[in-house]
Amino acid sequence: MQQKRNIQIIEWEDLDKRKFYSFGVFMTMTIRATVYPATLIRTRLQVQRGKSLYSGTFDAFFKILRSEGVRGLYRGFMVNTFTLISGQAYITTYELVRKYVSQYSEDNTVKSLVAGGSASLVAQSITVPIDVISQQLMMQGQGEHLTRFRLSCNTETGKSKKVFGQTRNIMSQIFAADGFRGFYRGYVASLLTYIPNSAVWWPFYHFYAEQLSKLAPSDCPHLILQAMAGPLAAATASTVTNPMDVVRARVQVEGRTSVIETFRQLIKEEGCWGLTKGLSARIISSTPTAIVMVVGYETLKKLSLRPELVDSRHW
């Protein structure tokens, strides 16, 4: 009878922090670049009324590609790269809170849930202003009629001037219209979306990994099982939190102030199906994200193991 195999979890105290942060920046940047087009498509799908602009994820992809080119799929990407900071804050908070909770509970689900939610709280406090700006840039082009702010014509001259000029242009419009608070529009909606998403993702990730380890051959590498568990956890978390993600996108792009009122109007105009808008794009983007993130993150932790622990671990 095959013995149950436990997936070994590398904890914070096992890591060489210098290696961890050096490799972590490269990993995060690679993931952002890979999935950004799907994030842009998801945002446009969630903000549009009904199917006024796109009929679905693939329709949006081909229309943007034809009308705006590859660059259209990367609108706002340069601004979005600043989320590298929040990415490192997320990882650090997750590992530190997990270590702290382990003093009171050895239950992996409890540690993952509390650490995941806490990490998202810290990361979103950094990410929301970046998201507000990058989402306004995402909506330019075919979706500009759906947003409050439009780029001035004089930002279209010169390549570097165009990239950073557009960002300054949007930032100045947001500040003029809403002041500093405008950069945190949708903050509550973001917390209500991403804290549950993160809190659900980690426990399900470890749960799926353990279940797969029971079914897999004894010589199957743990990394393969983890790479399969990641997308399953991402799909579960995305499905659970998508309604609030639709509300968050509309609050931030359309300049709304009330989460509850936005939710009510969405239900009134588009029914319950409106709550599923962008879900397929979200799952499509989260699947490669989860695979790359899990493989990258688990590999990152293995590469960052303190030298004296390397030979004691078997994968």
Side-chain angles (χ1 to χ4, degrees), residues 93-108:
T93 304
Y94 176 79
E95 294 293 347
L96 287 176
V97 172
R98 186 180 170 85
K99 179 182 177 183
Y100 177 78
V101 174
S102 66
Q103 298 174 17
Y104 302 94
S105 174
E106 287 302 317
D107 189 315
N108 191 51

Side-chain angles (χ1 to χ4, degrees), residues 61-78:
F61 175 79
F62 290 115
K63 280 184 177 177
I64 294 170
L65 203 57
R66 282 197 302 266
S67 177
E68 305 173 46
V70 174
R71 290 179 64 181
L73 294 168
Y74 280 90
R75 285 184 180 273
F77 178 70
M78 291 301 295

